[in-house]
Amino acid sequence: MNQQPPPNSFRQGPDARGRFGNFGGRFVAETLMPLILEVEAAYEASKTDQAFQDEWRRLLTHYVGRPSPLWFAERLTTHLRKDAAPGMGAKVYFKRDELNHTGAHKINAVLGQILLAKKMGKTRIIAETGAGQHGVATATACALMDLPCVVYMGATDVERQQPNVFRMKLLGAEVVPVTSGAATLKDAMNEGLRDWVANVRDTYYCIGTVAGPHPYPAMVRDFQSVIGIEAKAQMQEAEGRLPDVLVAAVGGGSNAMGLFYPFLDDADVAMVGVEAAGRGLDSGEHAAALSRGRPGVLHGNRTYLLQDGDGQITEAHSISAGLDYPGVGPEHSWLHELGRVTYSGVTDDEALAAFQLCSKLEGIIPALEPAHALAEVMKMAPKMPAEKIILMNLCGRGDKDIFTVAKHLGENI
Amino acid sequence: MSRIATKFAALKAQGRGALIPFLEAFDPDRETAMAILRGMPAAGADLIEIGVPFTDPMADGPTVQKAGQRGLKAGATMAGTLGMVRDFREGDAETPVILMGYFNPILSYGVARFCAEAAEAGVDGLIVVDVPPEEADEIAPDATANGLDLIRLIAPTTGEDRLPKVLSATTGFVYYVAITGVTGTRSASTDDLAAAIPRIRKYTDLPIAIGFGVRTPQQAGEASRIADGAVVASALIEGLVASLDAEGRATAATVPAVLDRVRELAEAVRKG
């Protein structure tokens, strides 16, 4: 941990260089650099462009279905109190971003970015995807706005996320399987960047998480912050106060930043980011960049990365394709070093158990990504007094995962 | 004067541009890569660019990507790559050597330690693809302190407003990326190059080398005349790949396959 004093505000980043403390930045090849600066200028201008903001809000309300509900998970809360000591067992709320059109939080930032791309005069959209949720969201926005869309997806992920691959095709996108490396999200992002370098003049790269070169980490966070802003107001209405703890899954970390960011300066609100511990944090097969990685530079930013002693990037592992990434957004690295957010790990098996429990108790089939967050909630809640409140981001629905889960449970469907 | 400046000045006096062949360290194994490296000056290389293998080379096409993967599989490390340069320098004190790679392996090695050891091993310049001028302070102070040139990329997308900023941070020579794209994919037209180079010359007296898409002897000849040098990478690696056996191991044909191509390229560059 760094010994730097805490900042006056945790919401001041990034600086003019795109840094959150020592993390972030713009580590890209010169070919992309002018375009990165163009995206930054366009994004800055969009913040005060009322017509842009109005159109994004209109789409969020009438196309996505926002605000997403805040749900008191009463049966889950009761269940977790059963084995807790008397007076223990926190109340659990879900922020239900799985009810968004396309089934996850990704659409929030995608619509913002595609509107920006149109404003910049770009005529072609590319994206990378892991679980396929960001790819589906991008393909959806491109269908709506009549833009050609190419989605890069690791061949391994194409295999394990077939429903989403088909969805993207139905929506008119071209899905390009990427076979380099381990053929997962990292490799898809490499291929996306290579495409962008080659088609820089007409193409906009719609990044799905709070990573990549500046301004992407800040821009995607700002668009996703709609989650936390809504949740804050909804929690005031439901409980008359803020929650005690926020919990969210962290792969690249966009749903977590979206929930956390509006609360960062509320000192009484604790936050837990849940990384994928795969087969265990010490198994060597996980995706826990913050818990087990060290700072490095990949995909345009300095952040915590899974890497070997020579600075070669190592493969991540998670049952969840959306968390299967060896890096993490730079703002998370900063919040981790400052200690503002605590980062923990949940294994494949724990996530699978949470996935099933949530389905049976709440009638909500969560995606495997938020199932990691839920597994953490299941560990925390019984140890907290009953009057405490946990707010978890249920950032995606599990329809896409039923085949993966069935396979792990030994069922043929 | 640095080895790089000395070389370009000598070539200018001869009235020709430089041939800068590329090889990936440890591709397909250390011994073969070392034999190629040692043979390059006699085959006509004026400067040599050595690729430092990285798992995620974002600016490279499939040919260089796979070369890096073979290098890593053969045990390439930063220390191993520097060791190759050190061995090369035992027999060659004149040919400038430039390392081209990505920032993370350097960061992991320690920027100060890397720059000191690279200079000590006999490296003359660095091309760090993903460190643009905006991030220059990450490496420039240590590179400068150790007498290493920091060679920057200029791309077709680098506008007039940006050229002075990029060029002012460049030493040694300027590397003009001829296409918007990754290595080994397509080539720029002679007309495009003829228009691009004078645009850069307005802002710098440094030599300019053209890379990305320079494949044939004819293209190398043209590029070296339009600018001050031509970098050839993917075309050489393709020759190497064609010489490997079914298991991807070097054969007796591997070293000659690469050096023969270097000779053909050198001939075209020397035709004037």
mmCIF file of all heavy atoms in Angstrom, chain A residues 29 31-32 152 189-200, chain B residues 56-65 100 102 129 156 175 177-188 211-215 233-234:
data_model
loop_
_atom_site.group_PDB
_atom_site.id
_atom_site.type_symbol
_atom_site.label_atom_id
_atom_site.label_comp_id
_atom_site.label_asym_id
_atom_site.label_seq_id
_atom_site.Cartn_x
_atom_site.Cartn_y
_atom_site.Cartn_z
ATOM 1 N N ALA A 29 -0.079 3.416 -29.297
ATOM 2 C CA ALA A 29 0.802 3.723 -30.418
ATOM 3 C C ALA A 29 0.430 5.082 -31.008
ATOM 4 O O ALA A 29 -0.717 5.522 -30.906
ATOM 5 C CB ALA A 29 0.693 2.631 -31.483
ATOM 6 N N THR A 31 -0.196 6.035 -33.914
ATOM 7 C CA THR A 31 -1.297 6.029 -34.881
ATOM 8 C C THR A 31 -2.626 6.331 -34.200
ATOM 9 O O THR A 31 -3.485 7.014 -34.756
ATOM 10 C CB THR A 31 -1.391 4.650 -35.583
ATOM 11 O OG1 THR A 31 -0.074 4.252 -35.956
ATOM 12 C CG2 THR A 31 -2.264 4.714 -36.816
ATOM 13 N N LEU A 32 -2.805 5.827 -32.978
ATOM 14 C CA LEU A 32 -4.067 6.020 -32.263
ATOM 15 C C LEU A 32 -4.120 7.316 -31.466
ATOM 16 O O LEU A 32 -5.201 7.809 -31.148
ATOM 17 C CB LEU A 32 -4.319 4.850 -31.299
ATOM 18 C CG LEU A 32 -4.750 3.534 -31.917
ATOM 19 C CD1 LEU A 32 -5.004 2.519 -30.813
ATOM 20 C CD2 LEU A 32 -6.002 3.715 -32.761
ATOM 21 N N TYR A 152 -15.285 -8.207 -31.794
ATOM 22 C CA TYR A 152 -14.211 -9.178 -31.603
ATOM 23 C C TYR A 152 -14.463 -9.955 -30.324
ATOM 24 O O TYR A 152 -14.736 -9.375 -29.273
ATOM 25 C CB TYR A 152 -12.852 -8.472 -31.556
ATOM 26 C CG TYR A 152 -12.473 -7.936 -32.908
ATOM 27 C CD1 TYR A 152 -12.756 -6.616 -33.270
ATOM 28 C CD2 TYR A 152 -11.887 -8.770 -33.855
ATOM 29 C CE1 TYR A 152 -12.444 -6.136 -34.535
ATOM 30 C CE2 TYR A 152 -11.575 -8.303 -35.122
ATOM 31 C CZ TYR A 152 -11.851 -6.988 -35.453
ATOM 32 O OH TYR A 152 -11.548 -6.529 -36.704
ATOM 33 N N MET A 189 -9.577 -7.775 -27.074
ATOM 34 C CA MET A 189 -9.266 -6.350 -26.967
ATOM 35 C C MET A 189 -8.037 -6.003 -27.813
ATOM 36 O O MET A 189 -8.006 -4.961 -28.474
ATOM 37 C CB MET A 189 -9.032 -5.984 -25.503
ATOM 38 C CG MET A 189 -9.113 -4.490 -25.265
ATOM 39 S SD MET A 189 -9.690 -4.134 -23.592
ATOM 40 C CE MET A 189 -9.654 -2.344 -23.602
ATOM 41 N N ASN A 190 -7.028 -6.881 -27.824
ATOM 42 C CA ASN A 190 -5.875 -6.665 -28.717
ATOM 43 C C ASN A 190 -6.340 -6.527 -30.154
ATOM 44 O O ASN A 190 -5.910 -5.645 -30.885
ATOM 45 C CB ASN A 190 -4.903 -7.853 -28.639
ATOM 46 C CG ASN A 190 -4.106 -7.876 -27.351
ATOM 47 O OD1 ASN A 190 -3.903 -6.841 -26.727
ATOM 48 N ND2 ASN A 190 -3.660 -9.054 -26.951
ATOM 49 N N GLU A 191 -7.223 -7.429 -30.573
ATOM 50 C CA GLU A 191 -7.689 -7.438 -31.952
ATOM 51 C C GLU A 191 -8.515 -6.190 -32.243
ATOM 52 O O GLU A 191 -8.444 -5.624 -33.330
ATOM 53 C CB GLU A 191 -8.534 -8.693 -32.193
ATOM 54 C CG GLU A 191 -8.055 -9.699 -33.201
ATOM 55 C CD GLU A 191 -6.677 -9.553 -33.816
ATOM 56 O OE1 GLU A 191 -5.694 -9.892 -33.154
ATOM 57 O OE2 GLU A 191 -6.564 -9.122 -34.967
ATOM 58 N N GLY A 192 -9.313 -5.760 -31.268
ATOM 59 C CA GLY A 192 -10.085 -4.527 -31.430
ATOM 60 C C GLY A 192 -9.156 -3.338 -31.659
ATOM 61 O O GLY A 192 -9.373 -2.522 -32.558
ATOM 62 N N LEU A 193 -8.082 -3.270 -30.865
ATOM 63 C CA LEU A 193 -7.135 -2.160 -31.011
ATOM 64 C C LEU A 193 -6.426 -2.230 -32.362
ATOM 65 O O LEU A 193 -6.172 -1.207 -32.993
ATOM 66 C CB LEU A 193 -6.122 -2.189 -29.864
ATOM 67 C CG LEU A 193 -6.697 -1.725 -28.516
ATOM 68 C CD1 LEU A 193 -5.815 -2.165 -27.357
ATOM 69 C CD2 LEU A 193 -6.863 -0.200 -28.493
ATOM 70 N N ARG A 194 -6.127 -3.451 -32.823
ATOM 71 C CA ARG A 194 -5.472 -3.599 -34.129
ATOM 72 C C ARG A 194 -6.396 -3.152 -35.253
ATOM 73 O O ARG A 194 -5.971 -2.497 -36.202
ATOM 74 C CB ARG A 194 -5.042 -5.056 -34.342
ATOM 75 C CG ARG A 194 -3.874 -5.446 -33.471
ATOM 76 C CD ARG A 194 -3.430 -6.899 -33.694
ATOM 77 N NE ARG A 194 -2.408 -7.257 -32.724
ATOM 78 C CZ ARG A 194 -2.499 -8.282 -31.862
ATOM 79 N NH1 ARG A 194 -3.564 -9.060 -31.867
ATOM 80 N NH2 ARG A 194 -1.532 -8.509 -31.016
ATOM 81 N N ASP A 195 -7.659 -3.504 -35.149
ATOM 82 C CA ASP A 195 -8.648 -3.065 -36.149
ATOM 83 C C ASP A 195 -8.715 -1.544 -36.156
ATOM 84 O O ASP A 195 -8.705 -0.906 -37.211
ATOM 85 C CB ASP A 195 -10.024 -3.666 -35.821
ATOM 86 C CG ASP A 195 -11.111 -3.211 -36.803
ATOM 87 O OD1 ASP A 195 -11.213 -1.998 -37.065
ATOM 88 O OD2 ASP A 195 -11.871 -4.070 -37.291
ATOM 89 N N TRP A 196 -8.743 -0.976 -34.962
ATOM 90 C CA TRP A 196 -8.884 0.483 -34.858
ATOM 91 C C TRP A 196 -7.688 1.198 -35.493
ATOM 92 O O TRP A 196 -7.840 2.187 -36.211
ATOM 93 C CB TRP A 196 -9.022 0.889 -33.384
ATOM 94 C CG TRP A 196 -9.733 2.182 -33.192
ATOM 95 C CD1 TRP A 196 -10.571 2.812 -34.075
ATOM 96 C CD2 TRP A 196 -9.670 3.012 -32.033
ATOM 97 N NE1 TRP A 196 -11.036 3.982 -33.537
ATOM 98 C CE2 TRP A 196 -10.494 4.129 -32.288
ATOM 99 C CE3 TRP A 196 -9.008 2.919 -30.814
ATOM 100 C CZ2 TRP A 196 -10.674 5.152 -31.355
ATOM 101 C CZ3 TRP A 196 -9.192 3.933 -29.879
ATOM 102 C CH2 TRP A 196 -10.016 5.035 -30.153
ATOM 103 N N VAL A 197 -6.497 0.675 -35.246
ATOM 104 C CA VAL A 197 -5.295 1.261 -35.845
ATOM 105 C C VAL A 197 -5.406 1.255 -37.370
ATOM 106 O O VAL A 197 -4.985 2.185 -38.048
ATOM 107 C CB VAL A 197 -4.030 0.474 -35.390
ATOM 108 C CG1 VAL A 197 -2.838 0.839 -36.255
ATOM 109 C CG2 VAL A 197 -3.705 0.773 -33.948
ATOM 110 N N ALA A 198 -5.998 0.169 -37.896
ATOM 111 C CA ALA A 198 -6.079 0.033 -39.348
ATOM 112 C C ALA A 198 -7.232 0.842 -39.953
ATOM 113 O O ALA A 198 -7.226 1.132 -41.146
ATOM 114 C CB ALA A 198 -6.221 -1.444 -39.718
ATOM 115 N N ASN A 199 -8.221 1.186 -39.152
ATOM 116 C CA ASN A 199 -9.412 1.855 -39.687
ATOM 117 C C ASN A 199 -9.734 3.112 -38.903
ATOM 118 O O ASN A 199 -10.898 3.457 -38.667
ATOM 119 C CB ASN A 199 -10.617 0.902 -39.646
ATOM 120 C CG ASN A 199 -10.378 -0.335 -40.473
ATOM 121 O OD1 ASN A 199 -10.377 -0.273 -41.705
ATOM 122 N ND2 ASN A 199 -10.143 -1.456 -39.817
ATOM 123 N N VAL A 200 -8.674 3.789 -38.530
ATOM 124 C CA VAL A 200 -8.774 4.852 -37.546
ATOM 125 C C VAL A 200 -9.628 6.031 -38.025
ATOM 126 O O VAL A 200 -10.270 6.711 -37.232
ATOM 127 C CB VAL A 200 -7.341 5.268 -37.130
ATOM 128 C CG1 VAL A 200 -6.621 5.931 -38.264
ATOM 129 C CG2 VAL A 200 -7.330 6.074 -35.886
ATOM 130 N N ASP B 56 1.357 -9.436 -25.733
ATOM 131 C CA ASP B 56 0.235 -8.673 -26.273
ATOM 132 C C ASP B 56 0.689 -7.509 -27.153
ATOM 133 O O ASP B 56 0.488 -6.352 -26.809
ATOM 134 C CB ASP B 56 -0.631 -8.163 -25.118
ATOM 135 C CG ASP B 56 -1.274 -9.309 -24.359
ATOM 136 O OD1 ASP B 56 -0.591 -9.923 -23.515
ATOM 137 O OD2 ASP B 56 -2.432 -9.627 -24.647
ATOM 138 N N PRO B 57 1.296 -7.834 -28.298
ATOM 139 C CA PRO B 57 1.831 -6.770 -29.165
ATOM 140 C C PRO B 57 0.730 -6.119 -30.004
ATOM 141 O O PRO B 57 0.424 -6.555 -31.100
ATOM 142 C CB PRO B 57 2.837 -7.527 -30.045
ATOM 143 C CG PRO B 57 2.308 -8.921 -30.123
ATOM 144 C CD PRO B 57 1.530 -9.179 -28.855
ATOM 145 N N MET B 58 0.163 -5.048 -29.468
ATOM 146 C CA MET B 58 -1.048 -4.457 -30.052
ATOM 147 C C MET B 58 -0.857 -3.830 -31.424
ATOM 148 O O MET B 58 -1.821 -3.664 -32.144
ATOM 149 C CB MET B 58 -1.615 -3.405 -29.102
ATOM 150 C CG MET B 58 -2.230 -3.998 -27.871
ATOM 151 S SD MET B 58 -2.435 -2.827 -26.514
ATOM 152 C CE MET B 58 -1.527 -1.402 -27.036
ATOM 153 N N ALA B 59 0.376 -3.456 -31.772
ATOM 154 C CA ALA B 59 0.581 -2.802 -33.072
ATOM 155 C C ALA B 59 1.069 -3.779 -34.136
ATOM 156 O O ALA B 59 1.370 -3.374 -35.245
ATOM 157 C CB ALA B 59 1.573 -1.651 -32.927
ATOM 158 N N ASP B 60 1.153 -5.051 -33.772
ATOM 159 C CA ASP B 60 1.704 -6.012 -34.713
ATOM 160 C C ASP B 60 0.657 -6.935 -35.308
ATOM 161 O O ASP B 60 -0.270 -7.367 -34.638
ATOM 162 C CB ASP B 60 2.787 -6.855 -34.029
ATOM 163 C CG ASP B 60 4.050 -6.050 -33.798
ATOM 164 O OD1 ASP B 60 4.590 -5.519 -34.795
ATOM 165 O OD2 ASP B 60 4.478 -5.902 -32.638
ATOM 166 N N GLY B 61 0.870 -7.241 -36.595
ATOM 167 C CA GLY B 61 0.021 -8.202 -37.284
ATOM 168 C C GLY B 61 0.434 -9.618 -36.929
ATOM 169 O O GLY B 61 1.366 -9.828 -36.141
ATOM 170 N N PRO B 62 -0.266 -10.606 -37.523
ATOM 171 C CA PRO B 62 -0.050 -12.016 -37.164
ATOM 172 C C PRO B 62 1.398 -12.481 -37.298
ATOM 173 O O PRO B 62 1.872 -13.251 -36.465
ATOM 174 C CB PRO B 62 -0.945 -12.766 -38.158
ATOM 175 C CG PRO B 62 -1.959 -11.775 -38.606
ATOM 176 C CD PRO B 62 -1.334 -10.424 -38.511
ATOM 177 N N THR B 63 2.126 -11.995 -38.313
ATOM 178 C CA THR B 63 3.489 -12.492 -38.535
ATOM 179 C C THR B 63 4.404 -12.160 -37.361
ATOM 180 O O THR B 63 5.107 -13.039 -36.842
ATOM 181 C CB THR B 63 4.066 -11.886 -39.837
ATOM 182 O OG1 THR B 63 3.170 -12.202 -40.910
ATOM 183 C CG2 THR B 63 5.432 -12.452 -40.144
ATOM 184 N N VAL B 64 4.411 -10.913 -36.942
ATOM 185 C CA VAL B 64 5.281 -10.528 -35.824
ATOM 186 C C VAL B 64 4.727 -11.083 -34.500
ATOM 187 O O VAL B 64 5.484 -11.457 -33.606
ATOM 188 C CB VAL B 64 5.479 -8.994 -35.767
ATOM 189 C CG1 VAL B 64 6.361 -8.608 -34.586
ATOM 190 C CG2 VAL B 64 6.109 -8.490 -37.058
ATOM 191 N N GLN B 65 3.393 -11.139 -34.390
ATOM 192 C CA GLN B 65 2.804 -11.742 -33.173
ATOM 193 C C GLN B 65 3.338 -13.154 -32.959
ATOM 194 O O GLN B 65 3.752 -13.534 -31.864
ATOM 195 C CB GLN B 65 1.282 -11.869 -33.304
ATOM 196 C CG GLN B 65 0.491 -10.595 -33.155
ATOM 197 C CD GLN B 65 -0.985 -10.864 -33.459
ATOM 198 O OE1 GLN B 65 -1.539 -11.884 -33.072
ATOM 199 N NE2 GLN B 65 -1.617 -9.945 -34.164
ATOM 200 N N MET B 100 13.045 -2.818 -30.281
ATOM 201 C CA MET B 100 11.670 -2.378 -30.474
ATOM 202 C C MET B 100 10.763 -3.271 -29.648
ATOM 203 O O MET B 100 10.867 -4.492 -29.696
ATOM 204 C CB MET B 100 11.280 -2.490 -31.947
ATOM 205 C CG MET B 100 9.857 -2.025 -32.234
ATOM 206 S SD MET B 100 9.633 -1.803 -34.002
ATOM 207 C CE MET B 100 8.042 -1.006 -34.081
ATOM 208 N N TYR B 102 7.368 -3.255 -26.363
ATOM 209 C CA TYR B 102 6.258 -2.642 -25.636
ATOM 210 C C TYR B 102 6.710 -2.330 -24.213
ATOM 211 O O TYR B 102 7.711 -2.879 -23.735
ATOM 212 C CB TYR B 102 5.046 -3.575 -25.675
ATOM 213 C CG TYR B 102 4.531 -3.726 -27.084
ATOM 214 C CD1 TYR B 102 5.145 -4.597 -27.986
ATOM 215 C CD2 TYR B 102 3.486 -2.938 -27.547
ATOM 216 C CE1 TYR B 102 4.708 -4.705 -29.297
ATOM 217 C CE2 TYR B 102 3.034 -3.047 -28.863
ATOM 218 C CZ TYR B 102 3.650 -3.927 -29.721
ATOM 219 O OH TYR B 102 3.220 -4.018 -31.023
ATOM 220 N N VAL B 129 6.715 1.127 -28.492
ATOM 221 C CA VAL B 129 5.524 1.391 -29.299
ATOM 222 C C VAL B 129 4.424 2.096 -28.519
ATOM 223 O O VAL B 129 3.801 3.032 -29.011
ATOM 224 C CB VAL B 129 4.983 0.070 -29.893
ATOM 225 C CG1 VAL B 129 3.723 0.306 -30.703
ATOM 226 C CG2 VAL B 129 6.054 -0.596 -30.750
ATOM 227 N N PRO B 156 0.576 8.235 -40.291
ATOM 228 C CA PRO B 156 -0.189 9.067 -41.232
ATOM 229 C C PRO B 156 -1.232 9.917 -40.508
ATOM 230 O O PRO B 156 -1.662 10.946 -41.027
ATOM 231 C CB PRO B 156 -0.868 8.041 -42.146
ATOM 232 C CG PRO B 156 -0.016 6.830 -42.065
ATOM 233 C CD PRO B 156 0.529 6.806 -40.661
ATOM 234 N N TYR B 175 10.926 7.279 -37.061
ATOM 235 C CA TYR B 175 10.379 6.064 -37.669
ATOM 236 C C TYR B 175 8.999 6.419 -38.214
ATOM 237 O O TYR B 175 8.073 6.658 -37.456
ATOM 238 C CB TYR B 175 10.271 4.973 -36.603
ATOM 239 C CG TYR B 175 9.926 3.579 -37.107
ATOM 240 C CD1 TYR B 175 10.753 2.504 -36.802
ATOM 241 C CD2 TYR B 175 8.785 3.338 -37.864
ATOM 242 C CE1 TYR B 175 10.447 1.220 -37.234
ATOM 243 C CE2 TYR B 175 8.484 2.064 -38.314
ATOM 244 C CZ TYR B 175 9.316 1.011 -37.987
ATOM 245 O OH TYR B 175 8.998 -0.260 -38.415
ATOM 246 N N VAL B 177 5.690 5.376 -39.703
ATOM 247 C CA VAL B 177 4.786 4.241 -39.885
ATOM 248 C C VAL B 177 3.970 4.526 -41.147
ATOM 249 O O VAL B 177 3.138 5.420 -41.168
ATOM 250 C CB VAL B 177 3.850 4.099 -38.665
ATOM 251 C CG1 VAL B 177 2.819 3.014 -38.894
ATOM 252 C CG2 VAL B 177 4.665 3.816 -37.416
ATOM 253 N N ALA B 178 4.270 3.798 -42.218
ATOM 254 C CA ALA B 178 3.775 4.182 -43.547
ATOM 255 C C ALA B 178 2.268 4.020 -43.733
ATOM 256 O O ALA B 178 1.682 4.638 -44.600
ATOM 257 C CB ALA B 178 4.514 3.372 -44.610
ATOM 258 N N ILE B 179 1.663 3.178 -42.935
ATOM 259 C CA ILE B 179 0.228 2.916 -43.117
ATOM 260 C C ILE B 179 -0.505 3.094 -41.783
ATOM 261 O O ILE B 179 0.110 3.014 -40.725
ATOM 262 C CB ILE B 179 -0.024 1.462 -43.603
ATOM 263 C CG1 ILE B 179 0.689 0.468 -42.656
ATOM 264 C CG2 ILE B 179 0.453 1.279 -45.019
ATOM 265 C CD1 ILE B 179 0.114 -0.903 -42.654
ATOM 266 N N THR B 180 -1.803 3.331 -41.866
ATOM 267 C CA THR B 180 -2.601 3.202 -40.653
ATOM 268 C C THR B 180 -2.952 1.718 -40.587
ATOM 269 O O THR B 180 -3.794 1.235 -41.329
ATOM 270 C CB THR B 180 -3.883 4.050 -40.715
ATOM 271 O OG1 THR B 180 -4.571 3.731 -41.920
ATOM 272 C CG2 THR B 180 -3.573 5.526 -40.691
ATOM 273 N N GLY B 181 -2.269 1.012 -39.720
ATOM 274 C CA GLY B 181 -2.513 -0.423 -39.631
ATOM 275 C C GLY B 181 -1.412 -1.087 -38.839
ATOM 276 O O GLY B 181 -0.506 -0.421 -38.341
ATOM 277 N N VAL B 182 -1.516 -2.403 -38.707
ATOM 278 C CA VAL B 182 -0.512 -3.149 -37.966
ATOM 279 C C VAL B 182 0.568 -3.639 -38.926
ATOM 280 O O VAL B 182 0.414 -3.542 -40.142
ATOM 281 C CB VAL B 182 -1.150 -4.335 -37.201
ATOM 282 C CG1 VAL B 182 -2.059 -3.802 -36.104
ATOM 283 C CG2 VAL B 182 -1.900 -5.263 -38.140
ATOM 284 N N THR B 183 1.649 -4.175 -38.368
ATOM 285 C CA THR B 183 2.765 -4.611 -39.194
ATOM 286 C C THR B 183 2.365 -5.768 -40.095
ATOM 287 O O THR B 183 1.523 -6.590 -39.754
ATOM 288 C CB THR B 183 3.943 -5.069 -38.301
ATOM 289 O OG1 THR B 183 3.458 -6.063 -37.375
ATOM 290 C CG2 THR B 183 4.520 -3.905 -37.529
ATOM 291 N N GLY B 184 3.005 -5.793 -41.271
ATOM 292 C CA GLY B 184 2.892 -6.959 -42.134
ATOM 293 C C GLY B 184 1.563 -7.125 -42.836
ATOM 294 O O GLY B 184 1.219 -8.231 -43.245
ATOM 295 N N THR B 185 0.790 -6.057 -42.961
ATOM 296 C CA THR B 185 -0.511 -6.219 -43.596
ATOM 297 C C THR B 185 -0.542 -5.654 -45.012
ATOM 298 O O THR B 185 -0.598 -6.385 -45.979
ATOM 299 C CB THR B 185 -1.624 -5.598 -42.741
ATOM 300 O OG1 THR B 185 -1.228 -4.293 -42.313
ATOM 301 C CG2 THR B 185 -1.885 -6.454 -41.526
ATOM 302 N N ARG B 186 -0.457 -4.316 -45.130
ATOM 303 C CA ARG B 186 -0.478 -3.759 -46.474
ATOM 304 C C ARG B 186 0.631 -2.737 -46.633
ATOM 305 O O ARG B 186 1.354 -2.460 -45.691
ATOM 306 C CB ARG B 186 -1.856 -3.144 -46.782
ATOM 307 C CG ARG B 186 -2.282 -2.137 -45.766
ATOM 308 C CD ARG B 186 -3.808 -1.966 -45.742
ATOM 309 N NE ARG B 186 -4.151 -1.058 -44.664
ATOM 310 C CZ ARG B 186 -4.085 0.271 -44.772
ATOM 311 N NH1 ARG B 186 -3.723 0.820 -45.912
ATOM 312 N NH2 ARG B 186 -4.365 1.057 -43.753
ATOM 313 N N SER B 187 0.765 -2.203 -47.834
ATOM 314 C CA SER B 187 1.871 -1.290 -48.110
ATOM 315 C C SER B 187 1.337 0.071 -48.536
ATOM 316 O O SER B 187 0.267 0.176 -49.141
ATOM 317 C CB SER B 187 2.742 -1.853 -49.233
ATOM 318 O OG SER B 187 3.246 -3.116 -48.866
ATOM 319 N N ALA B 188 2.122 1.098 -48.247
ATOM 320 C CA ALA B 188 1.769 2.441 -48.697
ATOM 321 C C ALA B 188 2.196 2.592 -50.151
ATOM 322 O O ALA B 188 3.098 1.907 -50.618
ATOM 323 C CB ALA B 188 2.476 3.478 -47.825
ATOM 324 N N GLY B 211 8.840 2.346 -42.168
ATOM 325 C CA GLY B 211 8.547 0.964 -41.829
ATOM 326 C C GLY B 211 7.066 0.669 -41.974
ATOM 327 O O GLY B 211 6.284 1.560 -42.314
ATOM 328 N N PHE B 212 6.637 -0.539 -41.716
ATOM 329 C CA PHE B 212 5.267 -1.047 -41.849
ATOM 330 C C PHE B 212 4.922 -1.142 -43.351
ATOM 331 O O PHE B 212 4.684 -0.138 -44.004
ATOM 332 C CB PHE B 212 4.221 -0.160 -41.153
ATOM 333 C CG PHE B 212 4.192 -0.280 -39.644
ATOM 334 C CD1 PHE B 212 5.364 -0.241 -38.912
ATOM 335 C CD2 PHE B 212 2.990 -0.439 -38.962
ATOM 336 C CE1 PHE B 212 5.349 -0.344 -37.518
ATOM 337 C CE2 PHE B 212 2.952 -0.548 -37.573
ATOM 338 C CZ PHE B 212 4.135 -0.492 -36.852
ATOM 339 N N GLY B 213 4.915 -2.344 -43.881
ATOM 340 C CA GLY B 213 4.520 -2.532 -45.279
ATOM 341 C C GLY B 213 5.658 -2.443 -46.286
ATOM 342 O O GLY B 213 5.420 -2.470 -47.482
ATOM 343 N N VAL B 214 6.902 -2.327 -45.800
ATOM 344 C CA VAL B 214 8.041 -2.380 -46.723
ATOM 345 C C VAL B 214 8.447 -3.850 -46.841
ATOM 346 O O VAL B 214 8.959 -4.426 -45.879
ATOM 347 C CB VAL B 214 9.226 -1.527 -46.217
ATOM 348 C CG1 VAL B 214 10.345 -1.517 -47.252
ATOM 349 C CG2 VAL B 214 8.774 -0.119 -45.897
ATOM 350 N N ARG B 215 8.182 -4.452 -47.996
ATOM 351 C CA ARG B 215 8.321 -5.898 -48.108
ATOM 352 C C ARG B 215 9.340 -6.331 -49.166
ATOM 353 O O ARG B 215 10.173 -7.186 -48.933
ATOM 354 C CB ARG B 215 6.957 -6.519 -48.449
ATOM 355 C CG ARG B 215 5.866 -6.174 -47.446
ATOM 356 C CD ARG B 215 4.548 -6.840 -47.841
ATOM 357 N NE ARG B 215 4.758 -8.272 -48.056
ATOM 358 C CZ ARG B 215 4.796 -9.162 -47.070
ATOM 359 N NH1 ARG B 215 4.617 -8.776 -45.825
ATOM 360 N NH2 ARG B 215 5.015 -10.420 -47.337
ATOM 361 N N ALA B 233 10.479 -6.058 -41.771
ATOM 362 C CA ALA B 233 10.297 -7.029 -40.693
ATOM 363 C C ALA B 233 9.527 -8.258 -41.159
ATOM 364 O O ALA B 233 10.085 -9.337 -41.323
ATOM 365 C CB ALA B 233 9.592 -6.364 -39.505
ATOM 366 N N SER B 234 8.229 -8.076 -41.389
ATOM 367 C CA SER B 234 7.372 -9.235 -41.660
ATOM 368 C C SER B 234 7.860 -10.076 -42.841
ATOM 369 O O SER B 234 7.813 -11.307 -42.800
ATOM 370 C CB SER B 234 5.936 -8.783 -41.901
ATOM 371 O OG SER B 234 5.406 -8.237 -40.709
#
